[in-house]
Amino acid sequence: MKVAVIGGGAAGFFAAIQVKTNYPTVQVELLEKSSKVLSKVRISGGGRCNVTNQETSIKLLSKAYPRGEKLMKSLLNKFSSEDIRQWFTMRGVPLKNESDGRVFPISNTSQSIVDCLFKEVEKLGITLRLKTNVTKIEEVDSQLKLTCNDTIETFDKVIVASGGSPKLIGLQWLADLDHIIAKPVPSLFTFNVPNNSITELMGLSVGNAIASIQGQKLKSYGPLLITHWGFSGPAILKLSAFGARKLEELNYFFNVQISWIDETNEEKVIQAIIEAIKDSPKKKMANNNFAQLPQRLWDHLLEKSEIPNDKIGLELGKKAINKLAKSLSSDTYTVNGKTTFKEEFVTCGGIDLSSIDKRTLESKSCKNLYFAGEVLDVDGITGGYNFQAAWTTAFIAAKLGG
Ligand SMILES: Cc1cc2nc3c(=O)[nH]c(=O)nc-3n(C[C@H](O)[C@H](O)[C@H](O)COP(=O)(O)OP(=O)(O)OC[C@H]3O[C@@H](n4cnc5c(N)ncnc54)[C@H](O)[C@@H]3O)c2cc1C
């Protein structure tokens, strides 16, 4: 039996290794169109490779996938973050957790991961073919004919691990096999807030913000960072991932509402302000930063609420208190445009999950063809979840239905 794995990324390498492990007598060829492999593994996590996330609860892990949550929930039961940790550790690459949940090799360099995958491919006798671009797949007499560069080669089974494509046209060769393609749109980006004085506070962050899209059911929690072009940080990146399709429809023009103090109930915030004033009625409002926000942000919000810095709490009228409560709990900004989060970006979209058998990841329209990695309409938020999806789907596809 001859098996081809298309794509020399994380999913392709892991799938090829698993096929050869499951079926030692099979001839496995790993086909990569460029002259380099594992490019994203090398650069991810600032060159340290964020292999997975420390979360071990499958329920919580799967919630990190705006697309593919249900599929990942069932597949992670078969190959989880614990399994990939063990896999690398057993091969001499121990991993460590960081405080934000990301998992890296203890060596702190992605080269350890790259070397480990290469060593395994070599040890198992997998053929790695660079500069081999697959442009067409045809099903003929229950075999698969691949157009590799300009020649046609025949395989018994094929795993497509060609990664995400930012453009629909890049997936046409797979659409030609009657797969439904979920339109590719970007995920994991930051929000541009042009011509707004908030950007003068670039570099400031709050630990527990709530960000939501006005008029939509999209909300997220977590640290929020003010940048020189707008907003970033986990709360915003999560919102961009869960809202990837909707925000594209809105042409990245919408209002974002921010609660800087982890509370969106305006009435409760009004009470908190009244309490803070009661405690120190003669304190200037600039010094009554009861929510312990970064001071420059507190000053900015006072100014936005038209409260002079030197006004004492006692002098604050109901209207001013209401205004401050609004600025703290539902501060609204117009977002116009997005910026790619260069540390990690993924494509939402790809092979629609209705086109595959969810147990085996085999194509429903083309027998003996399987999918793994970002080519599927599965993507996660930041934190190692995207690599985890690559390892897990590769592990399942490599069973080749068995
Ligand atoms: C800058 C950056 C940083 C990232 N950081 C993180 C991170 O910290 N944590 C995390 O979890 N995720 C991260 N990601 C996302 C993660 O890298 C991807 O989700 C993951 O690499 C997807 O793996 P893959 O094997 O499916 O696809 P890819 O890694 O994209 O590999 C696909 C391979 O297939 C080849 N190929 C494509 N078409 C063909 C063809 N027709 N014939 C032959 N070969 C083909 C490509 O050249 C490529 O080598 C990051 C992404 C980027 C861009």
Side-chain angles (χ1 to χ4, degrees), residues 32-53:
E32 166 58 47
K33 72 175 174 188
S34 75
S35 55
K36 283 192 210 128
V37 289
L38 298 171
S39 311
K40 291 186 189 168
V41 171
R42 277 175 216 277
I43 56 170
S44 88
R48 296 193 300 143
C49 189
N50 174 202
V51 180
T52 183
N53 192 276

Side-chain angles (χ1 to χ4, degrees), residues 203-264:
L204 291 188
S205 62
V206 295
N208 288 305
I210 305 172
S212 52
I213 309 293
Q214 206 173 50
Q216 309 290 334
K217 281 191 186 138
L218 288 164
K219 191 187 258 192
S220 78
Y221 308 79
L224 188 148
L225 172 71
I226 303 168
T227 67
H228 71 272
W229 63 88
F231 298 121
S232 182
I236 296 298
L237 290 165
K238 259 188 273 175
L239 204 52
S240 80
F242 281 93
R245 291 219 173 275
K246 194 76 217 170
L247 301 183
E248 194 251 1
E249 271 171 36
L250 296 171
N251 204 17
Y252 308 106
F253 186 67
F254 53 88
N255 284 339
V256 63
Q257 280 182 326
I258 296 170
S259 164
W260 299 101
I261 55 166
D262 199 15
E263 177 58 72
T264 50

Side-chain angles (χ1 to χ4, degrees), residues 6-12 31-34 36-41 43-45 49-51 102 132-135 161-164 173 342-346 372-375 383-388 390:
I6 304 174
L31 315 176
E32 166 58 47
K33 72 175 174 188
S34 75
K36 283 192 210 128
V37 289
L38 298 171
S39 311
K40 291 186 189 168
V41 171
I43 56 170
S44 88
C49 189
N50 174 202
V51 180
R102 292 187 298 166
T132 307
N133 188 13
V134 181
T135 50
S162 52
W173 62 296
K342 298 222 171 48
E343 282 171 54
E344 182 175 349
F345 50 90
V346 286
E374 212 184 304
V375 67
Y385 301 100
N386 285 300
F387 277 128
Q388 184 59 49

Side-chain angles (χ1 to χ4, degrees), residues 336-356:
N336 192 358
K338 61 172 173 47
T339 299
T340 306
F341 181 59
K342 298 222 171 48
E343 282 171 54
E344 182 175 349
F345 50 90
V346 286
T347 314
C348 145
I351 298 294
D352 195 281
L353 301 184
S354 65
S355 288
I356 55 160

Side-chain angles (χ1 to χ4, degrees), residues 114-332:
V114 171
D115 289 347
C116 176
L117 292 169
F118 259 107
K119 208 164 121 192
E120 209 62 19
V121 159
E122 219 174 84
K123 188 179 93 190
L124 293 167
I126 293 162
T127 311
L128 173 62
R129 292 167 54 190
L130 301 179
K131 295 187 182 164
T132 307
N133 188 13
V134 181
T135 50
K136 193 172 177 186
I137 302 177
E138 267 182 298
E139 193 184 3
V140 182
D141 299 335
S142 70
Q143 281 194 311
L144 295 167
K145 295 206 180 290
L146 268 51
T147 307
C148 305
N149 301 333
D150 287 324
T151 58
I152 293 176
E153 301 182 29
T154 305
F155 292 88
D156 299 290
K157 293 191 184 258
V158 171
I159 298 176
V160 179
S162 52
S165 166
K167 294 203 178 117
L168 206 51
I169 188 83
L171 296 161
Q172 191 53 48
W173 62 296
L174 298 170
D176 289 345
L177 285 164
D178 291 337
H179 297 114
I180 297 168
I181 307 290
K183 182 184 157 193
V185 303
S187 183
L188 297 181
F189 48 84
T190 66
F191 294 174
N192 295 354
V193 182
N195 308 319
N196 194 302
S197 59
I198 188 79
T199 57
E200 286 163 21
L201 306 183
M202 62 181 163
L204 291 188
S205 62
V206 295
N208 288 305
I210 305 172
S212 52
I213 309 293
Q214 206 173 50
Q216 309 290 334
K217 281 191 186 138
L218 288 164
K219 191 187 258 192
S220 78
Y221 308 79
L224 188 148
L225 172 71
I226 303 168
T227 67
H228 71 272
W229 63 88
F231 298 121
S232 182
I236 296 298
L237 290 165
K238 259 188 273 175
L239 204 52
S240 80
F242 281 93
R245 291 219 173 275
K246 194 76 217 170
L247 301 183
E248 194 251 1
E249 271 171 36
L250 296 171
N251 204 17
Y252 308 106
F253 186 67
F254 53 88
N255 284 339
V256 63
Q257 280 182 326
I258 296 170
S259 164
W260 299 101
I261 55 166
D262 199 15
E263 177 58 72
T264 50
N265 183 325
E266 224 168 287
E267 215 30 66
K268 282 191 184 168
V269 180
I270 289 173
Q271 284 314 313
I273 297 171
I274 291 171
E275 284 302 313
I277 291 173
K278 245 193 213 161
D279 284 349
S280 325
K282 291 195 175 149
K283 222 181 204 176
K284 287 181 184 162
M285 282 312 285
N287 301 330
N288 200 346
N289 181 356
F290 71 97
Q292 292 177 335
L293 294 175
Q295 187 59 38
R296 285 173 59 219
L297 176 61
W298 175 248
D299 292 343
H300 173 87
L301 295 174
L302 284 178
E303 193 184 328
K304 204 169 173 183
S305 316
E306 295 169 338
I307 298 172
N309 260 355
D310 55 358
K311 190 133 186 144
I312 60 167
L314 206 57
E315 293 170 357
L316 230 55
K318 200 170 166 217
K319 218 168 137 193
I321 291 176
N322 288 353
K323 228 172 181 172
L324 180 59
K326 205 172 178 61
S327 301
L328 286 165
S329 62
S330 57
D331 198 17
T332 306

Side-chain angles (χ1 to χ4, degrees), residues 380-393:
I381 58 174
T382 58
Y385 301 100
N386 285 300
F387 277 128
Q388 184 59 49
W391 313 126
T392 298
T393 53

